[in-house]
Amino acid sequence: MRHIIGSVALVAVLAAAASFIQNEFYLRTLFMICVYFLCAAGMNVLLGFAGQKSLGQAGLFAAGAYAVALLTTRYEVGPWIALVLACAVSAFFGILIAVPSLRVRGPSLAMVTLAFGIVIEKLVTEGSEVFGGAMGIYAIQPLHIGGVPFTMVQWVWFGLLLCLVTHLLLRNLLRGRYGRAFLSLQADEIAAGAVGVAVYRYKVLAFVIAAVTCGLAGALVAQQNQYINSDFINFHLSVFILLLVLFGGSGSLYGPLLGSVTLVIIGALVARWTWIEHFVNGALLLFALYAMPKGLAGVFGSLFRKLGVGSHGASALSPGAGRAAPRLPTRAVPKSASAGLLSAEALNKAFGGVVPAKDVSVLLTEGHIHALIGPNGAGKSTFINMLTGIIQPDRGKVTFLGSDITRQTVHDICRHGVARTFQNLRLFKDLSVRENVLLGQHSRMRNGFLSSLLGLPKAWREEAKALEKVNGILAFTGLSQYADAPAGSLAYGLQRRVELARALASEPLLLLLDEPAAGLNPQETAELGQLLVRIRDEGITILLIEHHMDLVMSISDHVIVLDYGQKIAEGAPSKVQADPRVMEAYLGTTVEAA
C-alpha cells in the first residue's frame, strides 16, 4: 500500500509540475519519457524476467502506430476506441512473433525477432498504397475530451497516468506467481516445466505483454503527432528499447523508469548533434553490458543495501517457520491408487544405436519407497525422464491413477501429482531458497492472470496460503534458517535438499528422485535416508534412483534393477541382493560364478 501511495504521489507531483511548464520542448521530452517507459516496462518482462531476447520491438511499435493511423483515417473509428484496438492488434503481432520464436533461444531468438522487425520496416516503407511509404499517413485523429483535442500538457498527464497504471499492474503480476514463473524460464526451462510452469504459454504471455505496451506507445506517438511514417520505424528504435532495459536494470521493477528518464534526457541534450546520437547510444549499451551488468537499478540497490535502506529481517517473511512438528502439505490419494499408483508398460527408447530402454515395465504401489538401481548407463535416468514427459518413449504406455500420461507435457504431469529432482542440480540459483520452493507451489495455486494483474484479494490469499505451506516445508526439511539466502550460495548438500523441498512443494503423490545422495558425505546420506522415510510416512510414494546401496537397502520396500536398458530383477531388497543376475551386472562375474 505504501508503494501505491508513493507512486500516486510522485505522478501527482510530476503532473502538477508539468502544468507550470510553458516550454513545448520540455513538455514533449516528458511525454517521450512516458512513451519509452511503456516500451521498456513491457520489454523488461520479456527480457529481464522471462529472459527472451528480442530485437523486433520496432515492428510492434509500428503495429500500434499504424493500426491507430489506419483506423482513424480510413475507417473513421473514434480515437479512444482506435487506441484500444491498436493494443489488440499489437497483441496479435506479439503472438505472431512468439510462435516461431518458441523453437529457438539465445542468439537465434534475437535473429528471428530482428527479422520480424526488418520485415515490418520494409513493409511500411514500400507499401505506399496502404501505409503511405516515406510520405506516411496524415490527419490521424488525436485523443480528445468533448471534441477538444489534447493539449501538450494533457498529453503529458495522460502519459503519466498510463505509466502509473502500467507500473502498478506489472508490479502486481511480477511480485507473485507469474513473476516467479517468468524468472524460472530465464534460469532453466526444463526445471521450470518440472515444477508445473507451462513454459511455452508463459513465453507467449511475455511476448504479448511486451507487444501491448510497445504498441500502446506507438499509438500514442502517432496520435500525438497526428502523423506517422517509416522514419519512426527502424532498427535503431529496437536497439534503443533494448538499451532502456539494460541501462536501467533488467529484472528490476524500477529499471524501466531509470532507463527511460536517463536516456531520453541524454538524447534531448545531444539532439542538436544528430550524428553523435547513435554513437552515444552504442557507447552507453557497451557501458551497461560491461560496467553495470545490473544497470542503474543494480547500482542504486547495492548503494541502498550498504546504507541499510529498505532492509528487513527474515522473520517478517517467515510466519509459522518455528512450528514444533511441521507437516507436509499433501493431496488426497484417489481410491484408484489401490491397484497401483503408476504403471509403465513396455517402454522403449532408442537414440540412434543406443537403446537405454527395452520393454521396461514397472508397477509402483502407493505408500512405498521403490528403488531403481543398476550400473552406470543402465537407462535409469532415461526411464524417469520418460515418466515425467521430458523424453517421449518410442513405444509403450505410462498410466498414472488410471490416466494415460504418456504424451502429456512436463507441466501437466506435474499437475497430476508427479514431482521430481534431477541427477545434475537444476536449481534457480539466483532466486532465494524460499522463492525456489514457492515455485514448487506454482501448479497448486489457483490465481489466474487477471486476478494477479489486478492484485485482487484472491491472488493475495493464494500467495499467503502458498507462503504458509512453503514455510512448513522449509521447517520439515531443515531449511528455515536459509530461507532468504540465494539457493546457489548454499553448500552442495543443502542445495540438494532445496531441490527436494521444491519438489515436495508441488504436493506430489509420487516423488521421483534421481540420485539425491550424489556428492553427499556419509552423515548427509544418513540424514537423507531418515528424511525420505519421514516423507514416505507423510503418504508420498517415492521412486529413488541411487548408487549408495546401503541407503537403498536400508529404506526401500521394493527394488527394481536395470541393466543395458532391460529390467533384470525386482522385489524385496534381500531378494534382489541375492539375485545372480544382479551380482553379474554389478560385479562383472558370470551367472554361474555368482
Side-chain angles (χ1 to χ4, degrees):
M1 182 59 68
R2 287 185 299 176
H3 180 86
I4 295 175
I5 295 173
S7 300
V8 172
L10 176 62
V11 168
V13 170
L14 291 173
S19 63
F20 292 101
I21 297 175
Q22 302 296 321
N23 189 305
E24 194 83 3
F25 176 78
Y26 294 154
L27 289 173
R28 180 162 182 79
T29 300
L30 282 174
F31 176 71
M32 292 309 297
I33 288 175
C34 296
V35 167
Y36 285 122
F37 172 83
L38 293 173
C39 294
M43 184 65 176
N44 188 40
V45 175
L46 181 63
L47 175 65
F49 282 81
Q52 307 302 302
K53 300 172 180 64
S54 174
L55 290 172
Q57 299 308 104
L60 300 171
F61 188 94
Y66 278 93
V68 81
L70 293 172
L71 286 169
T72 58
T73 57
R74 292 199 174 192
Y75 303 103
E76 299 182 354
V77 176
W80 288 101
I81 296 176
L83 183 64
V84 175
L85 292 178
C87 294
V89 170
S90 300
F92 169 77
F93 277 97
I95 296 173
L96 195 65
I97 192 176
V99 171
S101 301
L102 297 179
R103 297 183 178 273
V104 294
R105 63 187 68 179
S108 299
L109 172 61
M111 291 301 101
V112 170
T113 57
L114 174 60
F116 169 80
I118 292 174
V119 167
I120 296 297
E121 179 183 351
K122 293 299 180 184
L123 184 64
V124 299
T125 302
E126 304 296 335
S128 55
E129 293 184 2
V130 178
F131 303 105
M135 294 295 294
I137 301 176
Y138 292 85
I140 301 171
Q141 292 186 38
L143 297 178
H144 58 74
I145 298 177
V148 180
F150 276 9
T151 64
M152 197 62 225
V153 171
Q154 289 173 325
W155 277 111
V156 172
W157 290 346
F158 186 60
L160 289 170
L161 177 62
L162 288 178
C163 290
L164 174 65
V165 171
T166 300
H167 171 71
L168 294 179
L169 291 178
L170 291 181
R171 182 174 181 268
N172 289 339
L173 188 72
L174 298 174
R175 289 180 70 235
R177 179 185 185 220
Y178 281 78
R180 291 190 297 271
F182 286 138
L183 288 171
S184 72
L185 299 184
Q186 180 174 178
D188 190 326
E189 291 182 12
I190 294 177
V195 298
V197 176
V199 172
Y200 292 145
R201 194 179 307 160
Y202 277 85
K203 279 187 177 182
V204 172
L205 179 59
F207 270 101
V208 169
I209 291 172
V212 169
T213 58
C214 209
L216 174 61
L220 289 175
V221 169
Q223 288 184 311
Q224 193 276 323
N225 286 320
Q226 301 180 47
Y227 164 70
I228 191 74
N229 76 345
S230 57
D231 291 342
F232 288 82
I233 315 302
N234 52 55
F235 175 65
H236 298 298
L237 176 60
S238 293
V239 173
F240 186 71
I241 294 172
L242 179 66
L243 176 59
L244 290 171
V245 177
L246 294 177
F247 192 79
S250 64
S252 167
L253 289 172
Y254 304 101
L257 175 62
L258 295 171
S260 56
V261 170
T262 304
L263 295 178
V264 171
I265 291 176
I266 291 175
L269 293 175
V270 301
R272 67 182 68 181
W273 305 291
T274 55
W275 60 271
I276 203 175
E277 184 176 0
H278 297 319
F279 171 79
V280 170
N281 288 339
L284 289 174
L285 179 58
L286 290 174
F287 180 76
L289 290 174
Y290 288 101
M292 298 191 308
K294 295 186 178 181
L296 289 174
V299 173
F300 287 126
S302 299
L303 179 61
F304 290 153
R305 280 192 294 273
K306 289 179 181 178
L307 297 175
V309 178
S311 60
H312 47 73
S315 60
L317 295 173
S318 307
R323 290 174 179 170
R327 300 291 303 274
L328 290 177
T330 56
R331 63 180 97 182
V333 181
K335 294 181 180 180
S336 57
S338 58
L341 190 66
L342 180 143
S343 67
E345 303 172 21
L347 292 185
N348 285 265
K349 186 64 184 179
F351 300 100
V354 179
V355 185
K358 302 175 186 177
D359 294 319
V360 179
S361 297
V362 167
L363 179 65
L364 302 183
T365 307
E366 189 267 328
H368 287 182
I369 295 179
H370 302 265
L372 183 63
I373 66 173
N376 287 327
K380 304 182 295 296
S381 293
T382 300
F383 180 71
I384 277 192
N385 286 338
M386 288 191 289
L387 296 186
T388 53
I390 292 175
I391 293 176
Q392 295 294 328
D394 297 331
R395 297 192 310 277
K397 181 180 180 182
V398 181
T399 304
F400 184 70
L401 294 175
S403 300
D404 186 353
I405 63 171
T406 313
R407 304 294 173 185
Q408 291 194 10
T409 60
V410 179
H411 66 269
D412 280 332
I413 292 174
C414 174
R415 195 170 289 118
H416 278 298
V418 179
R420 66 164 299 170
T421 64
F422 293 88
Q423 182 178 2
N424 298 316
L425 276 172
R426 286 186 176 274
L427 285 178
F428 309 120
K429 295 187 177 182
D430 291 333
L431 301 183
S432 70
V433 170
R434 180 181 283 111
E435 289 168 328
N436 268 270
V437 183
L438 274 169
L439 268 162
Q441 270 281 302
H442 181 86
S443 63
R444 305 299 294 161
M445 299 176 71
R446 294 293 171 259
N447 50 309
F449 175 74
L450 284 179
S451 63
S452 299
L453 182 70
L454 299 175
L456 299 181
K458 177 182 179 181
W460 298 117
R461 284 197 301 269
E462 288 292 314
E463 283 291 323
K465 187 191 305 182
L467 182 60
E468 183 178 3
K469 291 180 179 179
V470 163
N471 286 323
I473 293 169
L474 292 175
F476 185 91
T477 54
L479 292 169
S480 296
Q481 60 182 311
Y482 309 105
D484 296 303
S489 70
L490 301 182
Y492 183 81
L494 291 173
Q495 290 188 40
R496 280 282 181 192
R497 193 175 297 186
V498 172
E499 191 178 40
L500 174 59
R502 186 182 68 188
L504 291 172
S506 66
E507 303 175 30
L509 298 172
L510 173 62
L511 180 62
L512 309 178
L513 306 177
D514 196 348
E515 298 192 28
L520 303 187
N521 61 41
Q523 180 181 348
E524 290 171 333
T525 301
E527 291 173 353
L528 173 65
Q530 297 170 6
L531 178 59
L532 295 183
V533 171
R534 290 170 55 209
I535 292 171
R536 192 255 331 257
D537 294 343
E538 292 284 317
I540 298 174
T541 304
I542 297 174
L543 175 61
L544 170 74
I545 291 179
E546 192 48 69
H547 287 293
H548 285 71
M549 289 300 105
D550 290 344
L551 174 64
V552 169
M553 298 304 169
S554 64
I555 68 172
S556 300
D557 302 301
H558 182 259
V559 179
I560 304 158
V561 188
L562 294 183
D563 189 29
Y564 292 109
Q566 294 180 305
K567 184 174 72 173
I568 61 172
E570 70 174 317
S574 57
K575 175 185 175 183
V576 168
Q577 277 182 308
D579 193 301
R581 290 170 300 176
V582 178
M583 296 183 190
E584 180 187 14
Y586 273 94
L587 302 179
T589 62
T590 63
V591 173
E592 292 77 8

